Structures are given as C-alpha cells and as structure tokens.
Amino acid sequence: MGLDGARSHDERTTATPRTPMPHPRPPARVPFDLAAWASAPRPEADPGVFRQDHRQLDPERAEAAKVPTWPLLLRAGLNAVVGWLAFVYGTQLALRVIVLTVWVDHPSSTAVTVVGLSVNALVLAVVIKVFGRMGRWPEVWRRYALPLLSRTVTEEVPDTEEEQSEAARQRDPWAVLRQGGAGVAAGRLDGEAVGDVDYVRIRRAWESAQADPVFLPAFVEQVSLRGAAAFAHPSEARELPGRTERHDLLLGQVRLGTAQDVPKNPLTHRSAGFALDPVVLGTSLLAVGPAGTGKTARLARPVAEALCLQALAGTACAVVIGAADADLGPDAWYDVVIAPGDPASRYGLDLYGAAQDPDEAAARLAEALLPDELTARAETARTALQQMVGPFHAAFGRYPGVRELRALLAGEPESLEALVKGLRAAERLGSFERDLEHREHQRGRADDPGALLADRLALLDRPAFEGAFATDGTGRPPFAMRVLDHPLRVRVKLPERSHPEAARMLSRLLVGQFVQAAGSRGDRSLFAGLVVDDASAALDAGIVRGLQRLRGANAGVVLLLRTLVDLPEALRAPLFGAVGCRAAFPGIAPWDGKLFSEAWGTHLVRETAVTLAPDTSGGIVRRAGRLGRKALSGTTAQTESVTTREVERLRWSPSDLAHALPAGHAVVSLTAVSGEQVPPLLVDLRG
C-alpha cells in the first residue's frame, strides 16, 4: 500500500464512502503468535502446495514408509545376519588373498595392524552399503531407533551464544526494522497485538520506505503514532469478521484442502495442503460442477475471503460478483456493495466503466446488451450505440443515462432535438452530423439495431433500478471499474430472481469491464482478482480473448459454471485454452468431462497383463497327473504369462470425472504465471 495507505476513499473512487466506516476487529479466540507465524518454515514447493510448515516428501522414503512393520524388521534382521557372516568370512578371505599375493616376509607389527584395520574397514563399508540398502536399515533407523533415542535422552546440550542469538533474531518479526534504523517503530510494535494482516501491511510499507530513504522518517513517525494500525486500509478495517479459512498472507495463499495420497497424484503433492495464490490465479481458473457440489462454499467464498484479506494488507483488490443470495461473505467484508434492484443499496454502477474513450465504452455496452442468440448483429449494434454515445458525450460532457440512451436509440424527437442543440452549443455538430444522419436513415427499417438496443435497455429502465445507473449525479454514487489500482473490496449482488435477464446483462458487462480495466492499468503492483459465482451469462468471445492478456497484467478471474452446455459451443474450447487452471467437481456431465479429459491429456503408465493358457508341458507322467487332477477337482492346470509394458492412458477419463469423484472432492490442474504446470490433482476440499 505504501506510505499513502491512510488516504481516504474519496481520493480513490467515486463509489467509496464519504466517511470511513471502521470495522472493529473482533477479539481472537486464540491469541495469535506473530513470532511463530512469521518465522514458520516456508520451503520452496510446486504450485498448489500450502508452503507454511510444509515438509518436503522424499519419494524413496515415502515408498519405504509403506512397508509394514514386521516385514521391514524381518528383512532388516535377515540382512544383518547375512551381512555379519559376509563381514567375518570376507575379511578372512581378503587377508588370505593379500598374504598369498603381495605380502612381504617378516612384516612389522605396525604394518600388520594397519593392513588388518584397513581390510576390516573396507569390508565393513561394503557390507553396510550392500546389505543396508537391501535391508532398508536407514528406514528402520528413522522409524524406530531415532524415536527411541529421543525418548531416552533427557539432557539436551545448551546452544552456544551465537546459536541463541540467531534463533532469537529469527523469531523476532521486526528484526528487519531494527537493522534498518527503525528501532523506535519496532519497539512500539513489540507492545501491541499485531495480526497477520497488520504484519504484511506494515512490512509492505517498510519495503516502500526502503526504496527511498527520504520516506524512512515518515514511516517511523506513522508507526510510532498509530502502532499496529499504521498504514491501515482506508476503511480502517484490520481483519475480516467471520474469517474461517487458513491463510498465509506472506505468500498470499489460502488453504482449501488436502491433495489425496493416491497414485494419480504426483508424489510431491500427496498428503500436502492444497492452496491457491496469485501466482496461479493469475492464469485464471475455471470450475465446473452441478449445484450443491461445493463450488461456492469450498472455492468461491475462500478465494473471495483471501482476496479481501490481501486487500486489507495492501497487496490486492477484489471484485466479487454473484446472486444476492449467494454465500460470498457478509457485506462487512466489502468496502462497496452494489445491489441493483435493491432500494436500500448505497452504491450504483457505472455502465460505461468510466472509460475515457466513448467509442470503447459504447462497444463494451453493446456487447453486454445483446443476448447470445443475437451476437451475429454485434457489429451493427456497436456502431449504432457509438453513433449515439459519442455525440451525447461531446454535447453534455458525460455519458447518457439508461432512459436518455433508450430514447435516443428509439428516435424520440425531443431527445434528438436536445442532442442537436447541445452539439451546436458545444460547437461540435459538424463532427457528428454524419453519425446522426446515418442513424436517421436506419430508423424505421426492419433491421434497425437501434430498436433492438432500445428494447434491451428497457430491461434496465425499470422502477426497481431507479438511481442505480445514473450518470448526471442525481442517483447513487456509481462504482467504476477503473479503480482497480487501489485496494478496494467490491461485492456486486445481481437480481437473478427478480430480473434474471437484466442480471445476465450486468454480469457480462461487469466481467468485460474488469478484463478491459485490469489489462490497461498503469500501476499493476496490486493483484486484481475477480470471482464470478455463475459465469454462464458473463462470457463472450471478446472476454475469452481478454483472459489470456491478464497473465501479464497481475490479474486473474475465477469463473464458476454449472455446466459447459450453458455456453455457446463455439466458446467452450477457446475458454479451456484461455484459462490456466481447471477444476472439475463431482457429478459433472460426461460431455463436460470429455473437455477436461482432452485438456489434461495422457501420460505413460506401467500396465501388467496376465495371460492364462492350458498347461501342455511335460511327459506322460505329468500329463497323467494333470488328467487325474482335472477328474478330481474339475479344474484344468494352467500356465501363467505376465507381460509388463508402458502405455498411454488418459489422466482422468470422462467416466471417472462423471461418476468416480467422491463428494467434497475435486480434480484441479494448475498453471503458474511463469508457465510451470501441475497435473490434475484429486483434492479433498472438506478440511
């Protein structure tokens, strides 16, 4: 957030509160141990692994750990006995060979001792190497000997002064401040309860101050004055009420579940915590599954919670779109809550996204207004809307409201006369006269796109939406998507029950504005995250193309779908190619599973085939014995042939995805912004 983190919302967006709305931090049920949390190990790991306190898995040790106790101990004991015999007789054999080949007459006692010890050491090393590996002695040592020794030894050797000081420095969360000359600020923070949000926010401000030493006194002054509340989010909130998930804000990770210990999962992920962070969300995520399978509760809500926490820490901005009754967190999580259709809503929506170019704003609005079945008329609709929006903006210095735009597209004489009069007063009539004439020629024709757009705008020109989309300052403060370079938390509640078609249009408009605004930001230091609870109406060809550009813009979207059938067929394959992360939830249709299966491809597996054939070997005696056995038991003697080969198989077949996924689980594949990929993982999302 930097040193300007305490600025008010009025300097950041037109839709933010005029006065701060502090959300008091609820008392923690368990005291937060900042030192332990900040110094917890976070080893490097593959994308998708929750790195806090993660233990790297050694593949050999994992395989050895699967061996039961008694077979392991029996094998170790047998190898120890054989190894001892090999050591005894091996040393004798080696010494005899030396005496017969290279030994000199009358050797000195020292030479005898040196040669004897050397031979014993060499043979012992070979025995330990060979029989220790076959008997898995290291696994026995790790599994049984070490725990026994740890319980036996009760007196620990005290650490040296250097080790004690190093340990203290590692557990001091403010050591970097003391070393950098901000000891006074560190002392103030030592005496306060600092949460993980506070810690990450202050550390981010410290990094900004380190970039320019001029800001160091300002940093110390702010922390000395406000303590843990220094550089707080403009809302003054320092925590989310009702926070439930496990987060590691130092890495921006939210833990969603556990990758299962199954052969289909890579060894590096088995039994490890599964997490999402901006590194993988930056490639965008598509989740498909029927209602009730946990997409919202176990994916959308935790990601929304993580983005809101990161916004409070000054590292992200969050936009969350869903139905009014979707469980995407309480309103207290968000700075701006937009509920078109709800008279109690405090904020409205800028239909043009505060775009600087009228033609660009009109084009995005036209694409959002048209339903899927009329996309073939998108080009003429864009032109018609641009021919009205551009002149209106030139005449009045603002964009037209819904009712004004509807009247212009319908060709109402009073509205057109007022527009011409405004252009003449602004001395811009000559620039737009041809546009107005072209619209006049189109009016009344059967294929006039203006009439179609006016009918679609009528869905937004309803009494329930009064003041929600005003552009003249008479309605509610409008939220504009151009504020994605500030740590805002925005929730849009769509009226899917009362106005379903209007909700579809607004969903498509908002997603399009986000993709457009996130890709054109000048300051990309904050991760811009968008969560869409039901994206079936929010996608078109332009948005799908724009998703790929978000990877380089430090932004990403999470799209939830009930089924891919809700999308036009021409969009399904391009959408799979545009997103880097894909999640399949239980109960998806086989035709949906086919796209996932094709996207995840195949891999080599070792396949063992067993072939049984009648046994015809041997002479008369063996054949007679087999005939007698068949007469007595009724079974035919058979030979068994085992063939092992490597074959290509689908990682997950459509049938497995449709019928074999347990409840509460999902299969998720990830791609990091750097291009690193993680094959599909079976993840338990229930804990």
Side-chain angles (χ1 to χ4, degrees):
M1 184 182 299
L3 297 177
D4 61 344
R7 291 189 299 175
S8 69
H9 269 193
D10 293 331
E11 299 175 2
R12 296 179 178 268
T13 173
T14 57
T16 48
R18 297 300 177 186
T19 57
M21 297 179 59
H23 303 288
R25 183 181 180 182
R29 289 173 292 182
V30 178
F32 180 69
D33 190 346
L34 176 64
W37 176 81
S39 61
R42 293 173 173 85
E44 292 294 328
D46 292 341
V49 174
F50 189 71
R51 290 168 50 185
Q52 183 180 345
D53 295 321
H54 171 65
R55 293 184 178 180
Q56 296 285 4
L57 183 65
D58 184 357
E60 293 185 1
R61 184 178 299 183
E63 290 297 327
K66 296 180 180 180
V67 180
T69 298
W70 286 113
L72 178 66
L73 294 177
L74 179 60
R75 178 180 294 177
L78 290 176
N79 278 272
V81 172
V82 177
W84 171 253
L85 295 176
F87 170 71
V88 172
Y89 292 105
T91 52
Q92 295 178 4
L93 178 62
L95 289 173
R96 181 166 298 181
V97 170
I98 293 174
V99 170
L100 295 177
T101 56
V102 298
W103 199 252
V104 297
D105 295 333
H106 308 294
S108 64
S109 59
T110 303
V112 172
T113 303
V114 171
V115 171
L117 292 176
S118 300
V119 169
N120 279 271
L122 180 61
V123 174
L124 181 62
V126 172
V127 167
I128 293 176
K129 178 69 174 178
V130 175
F131 293 97
R133 183 177 181 85
M134 291 192 299
R136 295 183 175 177
W137 295 349
E139 178 63 20
V140 174
W141 173 262
R142 285 191 296 265
R143 197 186 296 189
Y144 306 107
L146 278 180
L148 181 62
L149 288 176
S150 64
R151 290 193 296 267
T152 303
V153 178
T154 57
E155 183 177 351
E156 298 181 358
V157 179
D159 295 334
T160 64
E161 293 185 3
E162 293 79 4
E163 292 174 340
Q164 291 176 353
S165 62
E166 176 66 19
R169 187 170 71 254
Q170 289 180 352
R171 288 189 57 85
D172 180 9
W174 308 114
V176 292
L177 271 64
R178 303 183 206 278
Q179 296 170 1
V184 176
R188 171 65 192 272
L189 294 171
D190 285 336
E192 296 198 11
V194 182
D196 54 352
V197 176
D198 301 327
Y199 182 77
V200 174
R201 187 186 65 250
I202 294 174
R203 282 288 298 265
R204 178 176 171 83
W206 170 252
E207 292 171 0
S208 299
Q210 289 292 96
D212 191 344
V214 175
F215 295 118
L216 183 59
F219 173 88
V220 175
E221 179 183 1
Q222 176 74 241
V223 175
S224 301
L225 181 65
R226 305 197 64 192
F231 312 104
H233 187 267
S235 65
E236 294 297 328
R238 296 166 51 196
E239 184 58 281
L240 291 183
R243 169 178 168 180
T244 58
E245 306 299 330
R246 183 181 177 187
H247 301 267
D248 183 10
L249 292 181
L250 277 179
L251 301 177
Q253 290 189 316
V254 53
R255 191 182 190 278
L256 301 182
T258 304
Q260 297 299 279
D261 186 7
V262 295
K264 282 182 177 290
N265 285 352
L267 278 173
T268 53
H269 287 76
R270 293 179 191 175
S271 301
F274 176 76
L276 295 177
D277 55 35
V279 173
V280 295
L281 291 179
T283 63
S284 299
L285 185 148
L286 172 67
V288 181
T293 54
K295 299 191 308 300
T296 301
R298 298 188 176 104
L299 177 61
R301 180 187 167 107
V303 171
E305 182 179 302
L307 291 174
C308 289
L309 282 173
Q310 292 169 30
L312 294 182
T315 61
C317 58
V319 179
V320 181
I321 302 173
D325 57 352
D327 184 15
L328 296 171
D331 291 351
W333 282 11
Y334 301 95
D335 305 306
V336 176
V337 179
I338 307 166
D342 183 1
S345 176
R346 297 183 57 190
Y347 299 104
L349 182 65
D350 189 341
L351 294 180
Y352 304 93
Q356 302 299 321
D357 181 15
D359 286 347
E360 180 182 354
R364 183 66 257 170
L365 179 58
E367 292 172 356
L369 291 176
L370 292 182
D372 295 335
E373 59 270 16
L374 295 178
T375 53
R377 302 182 61 183
E379 189 60 40
T380 57
R382 281 194 294 267
T383 302
L385 205 58
Q386 288 169 345
Q387 289 171 345
M388 291 290 94
V389 172
F392 191 97
H393 187 271
F396 302 105
R398 62 179 177 87
Y399 293 111
V402 172
R403 187 162 299 175
E404 294 168 323
L405 184 57
R406 180 187 176 192
L408 289 172
L409 291 169
E412 294 184 4
E414 296 83 1
S415 299
L416 292 174
E417 290 176 4
L419 177 59
V420 172
K421 184 177 179 181
L423 286 172
R424 186 176 291 112
E427 298 181 353
R428 301 289 303 277
L429 182 59
S431 301
F432 296 98
E433 190 170 7
R434 294 185 62 184
D435 283 346
L436 298 179
E437 291 177 354
H438 187 269
R439 282 298 310 130
E440 185 64 29
H441 293 155
Q442 291 285 325
R443 191 167 296 114
R445 295 175 54 176
D447 60 346
D448 178 18
L452 171 63
L453 291 171
D455 291 341
R456 300 292 294 174
L457 280 169
L459 297 171
L460 301 179
D461 189 16
R462 304 292 302 158
F465 298 134
E466 187 70 29
F469 312 118
T471 61
D472 56 359
T474 59
R476 305 165 195 163
F479 166 75
M481 200 64 76
R482 60 178 169 82
V483 296
L484 296 181
D485 53 351
H486 301 300
L488 279 177
R489 303 165 294 161
V490 181
R491 169 74 163 97
V492 182
K493 297 183 174 181
L494 299 176
E496 290 189 355
R497 295 186 180 274
S498 56
H499 301 84
E501 191 59 29
R504 291 172 62 87
M505 288 192 297
L506 293 175
S507 176
R508 183 157 45 226
L509 177 67
L510 286 165
V511 175
Q513 288 182 353
F514 178 90
V515 171
Q516 190 178 45
S520 60
R521 288 184 301 168
D523 181 6
R524 298 178 176 179
S525 59
L526 299 181
F527 177 78
L530 171 69
V531 178
V532 186
D533 185 51
D534 182 5
S536 58
L539 300 174
D540 57 30
I543 293 175
V544 171
R545 288 192 299 270
L547 291 179
Q548 295 178 323
R549 295 194 293 268
L550 296 182
R551 299 191 183 195
N554 196 24
V557 303
V558 177
L559 304 172
L560 274 60
L561 290 173
R562 293 186 178 92
T563 174
L564 292 168
V565 177
D566 291 340
L567 298 179
E569 187 174 359
L571 282 182
R572 298 171 194 171
L575 176 61
F576 262 74
V579 299
C581 306
R582 307 173 185 94
F585 281 74
I588 66 172
W591 43 88
D592 289 344
K594 182 180 179 181
L595 272 176
F596 279 98
S597 183
E598 292 175 350
W600 287 332
T602 62
H603 64 146
L604 290 175
V605 296
R606 188 176 296 274
E607 186 178 81
T608 301
V610 179
T611 304
L612 299 177
D615 188 1
T616 60
S617 62
I620 297 176
V621 177
R622 292 191 62 182
R623 292 181 182 180
R626 287 196 295 268
L627 288 175
R629 174 185 174 183
K630 182 176 182 180
L632 293 173
S633 64
T635 60
T636 303
Q638 295 177 322
T639 60
E640 185 178 280
S641 175
V642 180
T643 304
T644 303
R645 59 176 182 172
E646 287 190 343
V647 295
E648 281 195 356
R649 290 287 183 267
L650 292 171
R651 296 182 184 274
W652 284 87
S653 69
S655 178
D656 289 340
L657 293 173
H659 306 295
L661 290 188
H665 292 63
V667 180
V668 188
S669 66
L670 303 175
T671 302
V673 176
S674 61
E676 187 176 0
Q677 295 185 340
V678 176
L681 306 170
L682 177 62
V683 181
D684 185 354
L685 299 175
R686 294 173 298 182

mmCIF file of all heavy atoms in Angstrom, residues 253-282:
data_model
loop_
_atom_site.group_PDB
_atom_site.id
_atom_site.type_symbol
_atom_site.label_atom_id
_atom_site.label_comp_id
_atom_site.label_asym_id
_atom_site.label_seq_id
_atom_site.Cartn_x
_atom_site.Cartn_y
_atom_site.Cartn_z
ATOM 1 N N GLN A 253 -1.386 -17.102 0.152
ATOM 2 C CA GLN A 253 -2.022 -18.396 -0.065
ATOM 3 C C GLN A 253 -3.235 -18.581 0.844
ATOM 4 O O GLN A 253 -3.263 -18.103 1.973
ATOM 5 C CB GLN A 253 -1.032 -19.533 0.211
ATOM 6 C CG GLN A 253 0.081 -19.660 -0.817
ATOM 7 C CD GLN A 253 0.892 -20.926 -0.615
ATOM 8 O OE1 GLN A 253 1.247 -21.273 0.492
ATOM 9 N NE2 GLN A 253 1.186 -21.613 -1.708
ATOM 10 N N VAL A 254 -4.236 -19.288 0.321
ATOM 11 C CA VAL A 254 -5.378 -19.729 1.107
ATOM 12 C C VAL A 254 -5.461 -21.248 0.958
ATOM 13 O O VAL A 254 -5.455 -21.781 -0.149
ATOM 14 C CB VAL A 254 -6.689 -19.053 0.665
ATOM 15 C CG1 VAL A 254 -6.934 -19.208 -0.838
ATOM 16 C CG2 VAL A 254 -7.873 -19.614 1.445
ATOM 17 N N ARG A 255 -5.523 -21.934 2.089
ATOM 18 C CA ARG A 255 -5.546 -23.402 2.077
ATOM 19 C C ARG A 255 -6.979 -23.875 1.891
ATOM 20 O O ARG A 255 -7.864 -23.559 2.690
ATOM 21 C CB ARG A 255 -4.982 -23.951 3.386
ATOM 22 C CG ARG A 255 -4.715 -25.446 3.372
ATOM 23 C CD ARG A 255 -4.196 -25.898 4.730
ATOM 24 N NE ARG A 255 -3.703 -27.263 4.712
ATOM 25 C CZ ARG A 255 -4.464 -28.353 4.810
ATOM 26 N NH1 ARG A 255 -5.781 -28.207 4.929
ATOM 27 N NH2 ARG A 255 -3.933 -29.556 4.784
ATOM 28 N N LEU A 256 -7.218 -24.648 0.837
ATOM 29 C CA LEU A 256 -8.561 -25.115 0.518
ATOM 30 C C LEU A 256 -8.808 -26.559 0.922
ATOM 31 O O LEU A 256 -9.963 -26.976 1.037
ATOM 32 C CB LEU A 256 -8.825 -24.970 -0.988
ATOM 33 C CG LEU A 256 -8.723 -23.563 -1.567
ATOM 34 C CD1 LEU A 256 -9.067 -23.587 -3.039
ATOM 35 C CD2 LEU A 256 -9.630 -22.606 -0.831
ATOM 36 N N GLY A 257 -7.777 -27.354 1.074
ATOM 37 C CA GLY A 257 -7.972 -28.760 1.390
ATOM 38 C C GLY A 257 -6.656 -29.506 1.358
ATOM 39 O O GLY A 257 -5.582 -28.926 1.557
ATOM 40 N N THR A 258 -6.747 -30.813 1.069
ATOM 41 C CA THR A 258 -5.576 -31.687 1.077
ATOM 42 C C THR A 258 -5.560 -32.524 -0.186
ATOM 43 O O THR A 258 -6.576 -33.136 -0.553
ATOM 44 C CB THR A 258 -5.602 -32.626 2.300
ATOM 45 O OG1 THR A 258 -5.708 -31.835 3.490
ATOM 46 C CG2 THR A 258 -4.340 -33.468 2.365
ATOM 47 N N ALA A 259 -4.419 -32.534 -0.865
ATOM 48 C CA ALA A 259 -4.248 -33.412 -2.015
ATOM 49 C C ALA A 259 -4.162 -34.852 -1.521
ATOM 50 O O ALA A 259 -3.412 -35.152 -0.596
ATOM 51 C CB ALA A 259 -2.991 -33.034 -2.794
ATOM 52 N N GLN A 260 -4.931 -35.731 -2.135
ATOM 53 C CA GLN A 260 -5.052 -37.094 -1.637
ATOM 54 C C GLN A 260 -3.814 -37.932 -1.963
ATOM 55 O O GLN A 260 -3.129 -37.697 -2.958
ATOM 56 C CB GLN A 260 -6.301 -37.751 -2.220
ATOM 57 C CG GLN A 260 -7.588 -37.066 -1.792
ATOM 58 C CD GLN A 260 -7.781 -37.112 -0.285
ATOM 59 O OE1 GLN A 260 -8.236 -38.105 0.258
ATOM 60 N NE2 GLN A 260 -7.422 -36.039 0.402
ATOM 61 N N ASP A 261 -3.574 -38.922 -1.119
ATOM 62 C CA ASP A 261 -2.448 -39.843 -1.307
ATOM 63 C C ASP A 261 -2.912 -40.995 -2.198
ATOM 64 O O ASP A 261 -3.201 -42.101 -1.730
ATOM 65 C CB ASP A 261 -1.959 -40.351 0.045
ATOM 66 C CG ASP A 261 -0.693 -41.193 -0.081
ATOM 67 O OD1 ASP A 261 -0.140 -41.269 -1.201
ATOM 68 O OD2 ASP A 261 -0.262 -41.777 0.928
ATOM 69 N N VAL A 262 -3.013 -40.720 -3.501
ATOM 70 C CA VAL A 262 -3.469 -41.705 -4.480
ATOM 71 C C VAL A 262 -2.467 -41.741 -5.624
ATOM 72 O O VAL A 262 -1.751 -40.759 -5.876
ATOM 73 C CB VAL A 262 -4.880 -41.364 -5.010
ATOM 74 C CG1 VAL A 262 -5.912 -41.455 -3.897
ATOM 75 C CG2 VAL A 262 -4.898 -39.972 -5.633
ATOM 76 N N PRO A 263 -2.390 -42.867 -6.351
ATOM 77 C CA PRO A 263 -1.399 -42.962 -7.441
ATOM 78 C C PRO A 263 -1.561 -41.911 -8.516
ATOM 79 O O PRO A 263 -0.579 -41.539 -9.169
ATOM 80 C CB PRO A 263 -1.641 -44.376 -7.996
ATOM 81 C CG PRO A 263 -2.251 -45.139 -6.866
ATOM 82 C CD PRO A 263 -3.076 -44.154 -6.119
ATOM 83 N N LYS A 264 -2.782 -41.404 -8.744
ATOM 84 C CA LYS A 264 -2.973 -40.413 -9.794
ATOM 85 C C LYS A 264 -2.309 -39.073 -9.465
ATOM 86 O O LYS A 264 -2.034 -38.281 -10.369
ATOM 87 C CB LYS A 264 -4.476 -40.192 -10.041
ATOM 88 C CG LYS A 264 -5.148 -41.274 -10.874
ATOM 89 C CD LYS A 264 -6.612 -40.937 -11.108
ATOM 90 C CE LYS A 264 -7.290 -41.961 -11.996
ATOM 91 N NZ LYS A 264 -6.830 -41.896 -13.385
ATOM 92 N N ASN A 265 -2.096 -38.791 -8.188
ATOM 93 C CA ASN A 265 -1.475 -37.532 -7.793
ATOM 94 C C ASN A 265 0.041 -37.650 -7.806
ATOM 95 O O ASN A 265 0.592 -38.690 -7.435
ATOM 96 C CB ASN A 265 -1.927 -37.124 -6.392
ATOM 97 C CG ASN A 265 -3.347 -36.584 -6.375
ATOM 98 O OD1 ASN A 265 -3.949 -36.368 -7.425
ATOM 99 N ND2 ASN A 265 -3.884 -36.375 -5.190
ATOM 100 N N PRO A 266 0.754 -36.592 -8.200
ATOM 101 C CA PRO A 266 2.224 -36.622 -8.132
ATOM 102 C C PRO A 266 2.704 -36.793 -6.692
ATOM 103 O O PRO A 266 2.044 -36.359 -5.744
ATOM 104 C CB PRO A 266 2.633 -35.254 -8.700
ATOM 105 C CG PRO A 266 1.435 -34.737 -9.405
ATOM 106 C CD PRO A 266 0.246 -35.331 -8.752
ATOM 107 N N LEU A 267 3.873 -37.414 -6.535
ATOM 108 C CA LEU A 267 4.413 -37.647 -5.198
ATOM 109 C C LEU A 267 4.619 -36.345 -4.433
ATOM 110 O O LEU A 267 4.470 -36.290 -3.213
ATOM 111 C CB LEU A 267 5.735 -38.412 -5.294
ATOM 112 C CG LEU A 267 5.643 -39.938 -5.464
ATOM 113 C CD1 LEU A 267 7.025 -40.517 -5.709
ATOM 114 C CD2 LEU A 267 5.017 -40.569 -4.228
ATOM 115 N N THR A 268 4.975 -35.270 -5.141
ATOM 116 C CA THR A 268 5.272 -34.004 -4.475
ATOM 117 C C THR A 268 4.036 -33.377 -3.837
ATOM 118 O O THR A 268 4.168 -32.483 -3.000
ATOM 119 C CB THR A 268 5.876 -33.015 -5.477
ATOM 120 O OG1 THR A 268 5.001 -32.906 -6.616
ATOM 121 C CG2 THR A 268 7.242 -33.488 -5.941
ATOM 122 N N HIS A 269 2.834 -33.808 -4.240
ATOM 123 C CA HIS A 269 1.612 -33.214 -3.714
ATOM 124 C C HIS A 269 0.834 -34.146 -2.789
ATOM 125 O O HIS A 269 -0.098 -33.688 -2.122
ATOM 126 C CB HIS A 269 0.704 -32.783 -4.863
ATOM 127 C CG HIS A 269 1.170 -31.569 -5.596
ATOM 128 N ND1 HIS A 269 2.212 -31.614 -6.488
ATOM 129 C CD2 HIS A 269 0.751 -30.273 -5.566
ATOM 130 C CE1 HIS A 269 2.405 -30.394 -6.989
ATOM 131 N NE2 HIS A 269 1.543 -29.578 -6.454
ATOM 132 N N ARG A 270 1.185 -35.407 -2.749
ATOM 133 C CA ARG A 270 0.387 -36.346 -1.962
ATOM 134 C C ARG A 270 0.421 -35.988 -0.477
ATOM 135 O O ARG A 270 1.487 -35.756 0.091
ATOM 136 C CB ARG A 270 0.893 -37.776 -2.163
ATOM 137 C CG ARG A 270 0.669 -38.300 -3.571
ATOM 138 C CD ARG A 270 1.200 -39.717 -3.722
ATOM 139 N NE ARG A 270 1.227 -40.119 -5.132
ATOM 140 C CZ ARG A 270 1.725 -41.257 -5.578
ATOM 141 N NH1 ARG A 270 2.248 -42.124 -4.718
ATOM 142 N NH2 ARG A 270 1.710 -41.539 -6.870
ATOM 143 N N SER A 271 -0.767 -35.912 0.099
ATOM 144 C CA SER A 271 -0.966 -35.604 1.527
ATOM 145 C C SER A 271 -0.525 -34.192 1.892
ATOM 146 O O SER A 271 -0.473 -33.854 3.077
ATOM 147 C CB SER A 271 -0.227 -36.618 2.424
ATOM 148 O OG SER A 271 -0.682 -37.932 2.163
ATOM 149 N N ALA A 272 -0.229 -33.358 0.919
ATOM 150 C CA ALA A 272 0.166 -31.967 1.190
ATOM 151 C C ALA A 272 -1.062 -31.067 1.159
ATOM 152 O O ALA A 272 -2.062 -31.366 0.502
ATOM 153 C CB ALA A 272 1.193 -31.496 0.163
ATOM 154 N N GLY A 273 -0.992 -29.961 1.879
ATOM 155 C CA GLY A 273 -2.066 -28.986 1.831
ATOM 156 C C GLY A 273 -2.193 -28.381 0.443
ATOM 157 O O GLY A 273 -1.199 -28.094 -0.219
ATOM 158 N N PHE A 274 -3.422 -28.196 -0.008
ATOM 159 C CA PHE A 274 -3.679 -27.619 -1.332
ATOM 160 C C PHE A 274 -4.076 -26.162 -1.158
ATOM 161 O O PHE A 274 -4.956 -25.839 -0.351
ATOM 162 C CB PHE A 274 -4.783 -28.383 -2.050
ATOM 163 C CG PHE A 274 -5.170 -27.796 -3.382
ATOM 164 C CD1 PHE A 274 -4.365 -27.978 -4.492
ATOM 165 C CD2 PHE A 274 -6.321 -27.039 -3.507
ATOM 166 C CE1 PHE A 274 -4.709 -27.427 -5.721
ATOM 167 C CE2 PHE A 274 -6.680 -26.490 -4.725
ATOM 168 C CZ PHE A 274 -5.867 -26.689 -5.836
ATOM 169 N N ALA A 275 -3.437 -25.278 -1.920
ATOM 170 C CA ALA A 275 -3.669 -23.844 -1.748
ATOM 171 C C ALA A 275 -3.678 -23.138 -3.094
ATOM 172 O O ALA A 275 -3.093 -23.611 -4.073
ATOM 173 C CB ALA A 275 -2.589 -23.229 -0.848
ATOM 174 N N LEU A 276 -4.356 -22.010 -3.120
ATOM 175 C CA LEU A 276 -4.351 -21.124 -4.280
ATOM 176 C C LEU A 276 -3.740 -19.791 -3.862
ATOM 177 O O LEU A 276 -3.857 -19.364 -2.706
ATOM 178 C CB LEU A 276 -5.772 -20.898 -4.809
ATOM 179 C CG LEU A 276 -6.490 -22.123 -5.386
ATOM 180 C CD1 LEU A 276 -7.908 -21.754 -5.809
ATOM 181 C CD2 LEU A 276 -5.730 -22.709 -6.562
ATOM 182 N N ASP A 277 -3.095 -19.129 -4.817
ATOM 183 C CA ASP A 277 -2.476 -17.838 -4.559
ATOM 184 C C ASP A 277 -2.438 -17.056 -5.871
ATOM 185 O O ASP A 277 -2.778 -17.589 -6.932
ATOM 186 C CB ASP A 277 -1.079 -18.005 -3.963
ATOM 187 C CG ASP A 277 -0.179 -18.880 -4.835
ATOM 188 O OD1 ASP A 277 -0.306 -18.814 -6.064
ATOM 189 O OD2 ASP A 277 0.652 -19.624 -4.284
ATOM 190 N N PRO A 278 -2.044 -15.779 -5.836
ATOM 191 C CA PRO A 278 -1.988 -15.002 -7.073
ATOM 192 C C PRO A 278 -1.076 -15.578 -8.136
ATOM 193 O O PRO A 278 -1.253 -15.281 -9.322
ATOM 194 C CB PRO A 278 -1.490 -13.630 -6.588
ATOM 195 C CG PRO A 278 -1.960 -13.531 -5.181
ATOM 196 C CD PRO A 278 -1.849 -14.927 -4.641
ATOM 197 N N VAL A 279 -0.106 -16.405 -7.757
ATOM 198 C CA VAL A 279 0.797 -16.997 -8.742
ATOM 199 C C VAL A 279 0.037 -17.897 -9.709
ATOM 200 O O VAL A 279 0.334 -17.932 -10.903
ATOM 201 C CB VAL A 279 1.918 -17.777 -8.033
ATOM 202 C CG1 VAL A 279 2.769 -18.531 -9.040
ATOM 203 C CG2 VAL A 279 2.787 -16.838 -7.210
ATOM 204 N N VAL A 280 -0.960 -18.628 -9.209
ATOM 205 C CA VAL A 280 -1.753 -19.492 -10.087
ATOM 206 C C VAL A 280 -3.060 -18.829 -10.509
ATOM 207 O O VAL A 280 -3.533 -19.042 -11.629
ATOM 208 C CB VAL A 280 -2.030 -20.854 -9.411
ATOM 209 C CG1 VAL A 280 -0.744 -21.626 -9.211
ATOM 210 C CG2 VAL A 280 -2.744 -20.689 -8.090
ATOM 211 N N LEU A 281 -3.643 -18.016 -9.643
ATOM 212 C CA LEU A 281 -4.874 -17.323 -10.033
ATOM 213 C C LEU A 281 -4.615 -16.322 -11.150
ATOM 214 O O LEU A 281 -5.545 -15.912 -11.846
ATOM 215 C CB LEU A 281 -5.485 -16.610 -8.822
ATOM 216 C CG LEU A 281 -6.055 -17.511 -7.725
ATOM 217 C CD1 LEU A 281 -6.600 -16.672 -6.585
ATOM 218 C CD2 LEU A 281 -7.141 -18.417 -8.286
ATOM 219 N N GLY A 282 -3.361 -15.926 -11.320
ATOM 220 C CA GLY A 282 -3.019 -15.015 -12.404
ATOM 221 C C GLY A 282 -3.218 -15.608 -13.785
ATOM 222 O O GLY A 282 -3.230 -14.873 -14.775
#
